[in-house]
Amino acid sequence: MNDTPKPATATVTAATAAGPDRARPGALGAPLLRRALADSVRKLDPRVQFRNPVMFVVLLGSALATVLSAAALFGGETDRAAFGGLLTLFLWATLLFANFAEALAEGRGKARAAALRATRSATEALVRTPDGTLVSVPGTELRVGDECVVSAGGVVPGDGDVVEGIATVDESAITGESAPVVRESGGDRSAVTGGTTVLSDRIVVRITTPPGETFLDRMIALVEGAERQRTPNEVALTILLCGLTAVFLVAVVTLQPLAAYSGARQDPVVLIALLICLIPTTIGALLSAIGIAGMERLVRRNVMATSGRAVEAAGDVTTLLLDKTGTITFGNRRAAEFLSLPGVPDAELAEAARRSSLADGTPEGRSIVDLAAAGRPSGDASGESGVPVPFTARTRMSGLDDGGRRVRKGAVDAVARWTRENGGEVPDRLRALAQDVSDRGGTPLAVAEVPAQGAPARLLGVVHLKDTVKPGMRERFEQLRTLGIRTVMVTGDNPGTAAVIAREAGVDDFLAEAAPEDKLALIRREQEGGALVAMTGDGTNDAPALARADVGVAMNTGTQAAREAGNMVDLDSDPTKLIEIVHIGKQLLVTRGALTTFSLANDVAKYFAILPAMFAASLPGLERMNVMGLASAESAILSAVVFNALVIVALVPLALRGVAFRPLSAAALLRRNLLVYGLGGLVAPFVGIKLIDLLISALGVI
């Protein structure tokens, strides 16, 4: 039994440990609906409505209709006031329903934010000072660069990188996944998130983000919608809707002089009702909700997007760059076997490989030590003499200098060059062994030594590091191809190894021995050719390319630099999640297009309802346009206004859920929209307005 007391740190409750999606805080329920209704009223603030020009016109029209109806009532025009009052009531209902759609979409995000916020509390951090002592500091007072010691049972006080140790971490409060993950110093699995819990062992975390700007803080702001910016397509559509609103406004304003000239002067409240029915209120009311819902669908899939622009861009992606290690493959390359050169005992190669890896803090280096010395703690150099030579990106080798004896392990070409520089020869057999490992999809590392001072260096053999392609990758890449997306695997491995992994995974192309500048050059070439590029990655060396890509999806298991550079973070660290991201992006565009088509089409029925009713008395010929056989002029006008309000409520579920996406060409998609939503937009108002007219007549409302 483990009776070790837990440190005085904040812990995550079982309720919040279920994660933002698993707990379903964004599910529709009575509390969410009540909060959305209350927010609908608060959003009547003109400063809020001004951000949506179409609904701002509805607000002004409703306010003016209210004043005119009240004036008629106080002026003794009871019948006119009663009819005007009914119209005004449903004009306000139109505005409230539009606010309700946006508030409901925002409310789902706020519910998730509340679940995330519950995981955050005041945490005491144990900060290690330069002299090695530990000082308790409130988490809110941490600074970038502070090194915090977190033991089993403790909560990570802030975002940072593990600089010492290895531990299992419970990230369920952030990702919703109950299975713990391993975080360790070195490699691309060193990033930890504030608010997660260390389950075992002890790690030292170097803080990389100041309090208030942590990943959890940004998640809360994003899911609440506080940082949602309008996307280019949304801005373009808003401009179009403003143009249509202006056209109808001019038409309605000029209609009164023409009506007065023909002897059919109209009630200003009726003209206001006509204007609000004719302008694109349906899509104007739902436009913001569609964008917010698209972001919320990403959150439900454990993907955090920094802006709606990234979501839309994902819908248009044509080229996908995938980092091999940790993305296509599991990323934990481990030593599988030692391959000795002729005349070199296997034990000698294993011992040299072990000693040369003692200063290598990467998972690969530790796996070599484990394979060569069973039972020795990974990376433990206790009892070893000599000066460790750490691995660097420049030398691409690690080793140990013990008096006159020196051992090195690293990339084959780097070790071969070191051997020649120290008077040794490179046998052809080494190249053959390295090629054999590469042909099998592994990564070869050469091992060499200088046995004594003044003696020539000699090569001992090759270490086989094996990486494994994640299951299901080939099938997922096939799905990407059906969407017209080209996949490119990017790796630092040699071309032989890269080719084997590329064939096994089923990618379309690969870039081998890629340095950060090579990835950037590839992205620039693709973008200059007109492609929209998406990239997933998890390492620090992926950060420049993630920042350059149109859609940069960083793995949550990756480094802090990668997560900061990308415009999306996948909390599940599943690189194939990009397929779902693409679907959501395309669904967002399709939903917006479908509802725009429906909104513009359903105005036609309103013409046939309102215009004949307005002028039938002075122009009897217009009675033939009353194709719906509406009971009276007042009933026709009121029915159109009521339908205009109710259709917004009817379409809220579709706006939040999104139109089902199917991989279709642009022409096929246009035909489908016109057939389903264009024709539906024409037919539905005829049916709806007629049914409302029958109900009004039956109830004797007017």
Side-chain angles (χ1 to χ4, degrees):
M1 182 180 296
N2 183 8
D3 294 326
T4 304
K6 293 185 179 181
T9 54
T11 57
V12 181
T13 65
T16 58
D21 190 46
R22 279 69 177 176
R24 300 289 294 165
L28 292 178
L32 180 59
L33 293 175
R34 286 195 298 269
R35 188 163 52 248
L37 288 172
D39 288 343
S40 301
V41 177
R42 282 191 286 268
K43 285 178 177 289
L44 292 175
D45 186 338
R47 293 169 296 181
V48 176
Q49 295 299 318
F50 188 75
R51 296 197 297 263
N52 187 335
V54 175
M55 302 317 298
F56 184 67
V57 170
V58 177
L59 173 65
L60 295 179
S62 301
L64 181 58
T66 302
V67 172
L68 293 173
S69 298
L73 178 63
F74 289 117
E77 301 177 77
T78 308
D79 292 341
R80 177 169 170 253
F83 180 61
L86 283 174
L87 289 180
T88 301
L89 175 66
F90 282 98
L91 292 181
W92 282 111
T94 302
L95 188 60
L96 286 171
F97 291 158
N99 291 346
F100 178 77
E102 183 176 7
L104 193 59
E106 290 177 350
R108 283 153 56 117
K110 289 178 180 178
R112 296 182 188 280
L116 289 171
R117 192 177 283 108
T119 69
R120 188 178 59 183
S121 60
T123 305
E124 289 292 323
L126 293 177
V127 177
R128 186 172 66 180
T129 60
D131 61 5
T133 59
L134 299 180
V135 179
S136 181
V137 175
T140 54
E141 297 181 10
L142 289 173
R143 298 294 179 262
V144 175
D146 285 347
E147 293 187 353
C148 304
V149 178
V150 188
S151 302
V155 174
V156 178
D159 291 358
D161 291 318
V162 178
V163 293
E164 287 183 23
I166 180 173
T168 54
V169 179
D170 177 10
E171 295 186 339
S172 59
I174 306 296
T175 67
E177 293 294 340
S178 58
V181 297
V182 175
R183 291 290 179 265
E184 57 190 341
S185 61
D188 293 336
R189 296 179 182 273
S190 61
V192 288
T193 304
T196 56
T197 306
V198 175
L199 300 179
S200 69
D201 303 289
R202 173 183 179 275
I203 55 175
V204 178
V205 178
R206 180 179 292 131
I207 300 299
T208 58
T209 306
E213 300 178 17
T214 65
F215 184 64
L216 185 58
D217 290 317
R218 288 187 289 121
M219 282 180 64
I220 292 171
L222 289 169
V223 298
E224 283 182 326
E227 295 185 9
R228 194 187 84 88
Q229 295 179 340
R230 290 190 177 186
T231 63
N233 285 345
E234 191 174 347
V235 171
L237 182 55
T238 300
I239 293 173
L240 172 63
L241 298 182
C242 289
L244 291 174
T245 301
V247 169
F248 285 120
L249 179 61
V250 172
V252 171
V253 168
T254 57
L255 191 62
Q256 184 71 302
L258 295 175
Y261 179 77
S262 61
R265 187 177 181 84
Q266 298 297 316
D267 187 335
V269 176
V270 172
L271 291 176
I272 293 172
L274 173 64
L275 172 65
I276 292 177
C277 285
L278 295 187
I279 64 177
T281 51
T282 305
I283 185 60
L286 299 175
L287 185 58
S288 182
I290 293 170
I292 295 172
M295 298 279 286
E296 198 268 342
R297 281 194 292 274
L298 275 181
V299 174
R300 278 191 278 128
R301 288 162 177 81
N302 268 3
V303 177
M304 299 304 304
T306 58
S307 72
R309 295 173 184 267
V311 184
E312 278 195 358
D316 294 324
V317 162
T318 56
T319 301
L320 170 60
L321 272 58
L322 293 166
D323 183 54
K324 178 185 79 75
T325 305
T327 304
I328 293 177
T329 63
F330 282 107
N332 290 327
R333 296 184 302 178
R334 299 189 60 83
E337 59 181 331
F338 297 117
L339 304 173
S340 303
L341 288 170
V344 178
D346 292 343
E348 183 180 357
L349 170 61
E351 178 62 15
R354 185 187 69 82
R355 289 174 61 83
S356 64
S357 299
L358 292 175
D360 187 352
T362 64
E364 292 85 353
R366 287 193 286 264
S367 74
I368 294 173
V369 175
D370 291 339
L371 181 64
R376 179 186 293 270
S378 178
D380 183 9
S382 59
E384 297 289 348
S385 60
V387 179
V389 179
F391 176 88
T392 67
R394 184 180 62 83
T395 63
R396 294 189 295 158
M397 295 186 299
S398 64
L400 188 73
D401 291 345
D402 184 7
R405 187 187 181 199
R406 294 179 290 162
V407 290
R408 294 291 186 272
K409 173 249 356 180
V412 173
D413 58 338
V415 174
R417 183 169 57 252
W418 181 84
T419 301
R420 293 192 189 95
E421 291 172 352
N422 287 275
E425 295 182 355
V426 180
D428 294 337
R429 180 60 180 162
L430 178 74
R431 301 294 183 189
L433 287 176
Q435 188 61 48
D436 176 63
V437 171
S438 298
D439 291 343
R440 287 185 285 160
T443 300
L445 297 180
V447 180
E449 70 166 354
V450 174
Q453 187 70 35
R458 68 184 187 116
L459 283 154
L460 303 178
V462 169
V463 180
H464 178 187
L465 292 181
K466 187 177 181 180
D467 207 351
T468 305
V469 174
K470 293 181 179 179
M473 293 301 295
R474 178 176 288 274
E475 292 74 14
R476 304 302 290 271
F477 290 145
E478 286 292 340
Q479 294 180 35
L480 288 172
R481 270 189 285 275
T482 63
L483 296 174
I485 298 175
R486 176 172 169 264
T487 54
V488 181
M489 182 184 77
V490 181
T491 176
D493 288 339
N494 62 70
T497 301
V500 172
I501 297 294
R503 285 196 300 270
E504 184 179 349
V507 296
D508 297 314
D509 200 356
F510 66 88
L511 177 65
E513 297 180 341
E517 54 269 21
D518 297 325
K519 299 176 187 180
L520 280 174
L522 177 59
I523 292 175
R524 288 194 185 100
R525 286 197 302 271
E526 293 286 338
Q527 290 173 334
E528 288 169 359
L532 260 70
V533 180
M535 177 181 174
T536 62
D538 57 1
T540 301
N541 63 335
D542 296 324
L546 287 170
R548 173 74 186 188
D550 299 287
V551 179
V553 183
M555 302 295 102
N556 190 46
T557 56
T559 62
Q560 188 72 19
R563 296 196 299 183
E564 292 289 344
N567 49 25
M568 291 188 187
V569 177
D570 177 19
L571 302 180
D572 294 329
S573 298
D574 177 9
T576 60
K577 184 80 67 70
L578 190 59
I579 296 174
E580 296 180 48
I581 294 173
V582 169
H583 273 270
I584 292 172
K586 290 184 178 295
Q587 185 184 39
L588 177 64
L589 298 176
V590 169
T591 301
R592 190 179 293 148
L595 292 183
T596 300
T597 303
F598 184 92
S599 177
L600 297 179
N602 70 22
D603 284 343
V604 175
K606 298 170 192 174
Y607 302 151
F608 284 94
I610 297 180
L611 290 177
M614 291 174 61
F615 296 101
S618 58
L619 300 172
L622 290 178
E623 183 62 32
R624 289 193 295 270
M625 292 182 62
N626 185 15
V627 295
M628 288 178 277
L630 302 178
S632 65
E634 291 81 3
S635 177
I637 296 170
L638 182 59
S639 297
V641 173
V642 172
F643 176 83
N644 192 59
L646 295 181
V647 73
I648 295 174
V649 178
L651 292 175
V652 166
L654 183 61
L656 298 181
R657 186 181 65 250
V659 175
F661 168 72
R662 300 183 184 88
L664 298 172
S665 65
L669 185 61
L670 177 61
R671 286 195 300 271
R672 176 172 173 261
N673 266 4
L674 290 177
L675 181 63
V676 176
Y677 296 98
L679 184 59
L682 284 172
V683 174
F686 281 95
V687 176
I689 291 174
K690 179 59 180 177
L691 291 176
I692 295 172
D693 174 73
L694 293 174
L695 181 62
I696 290 174
S697 300
L699 295 176
V701 175
I702 53 177

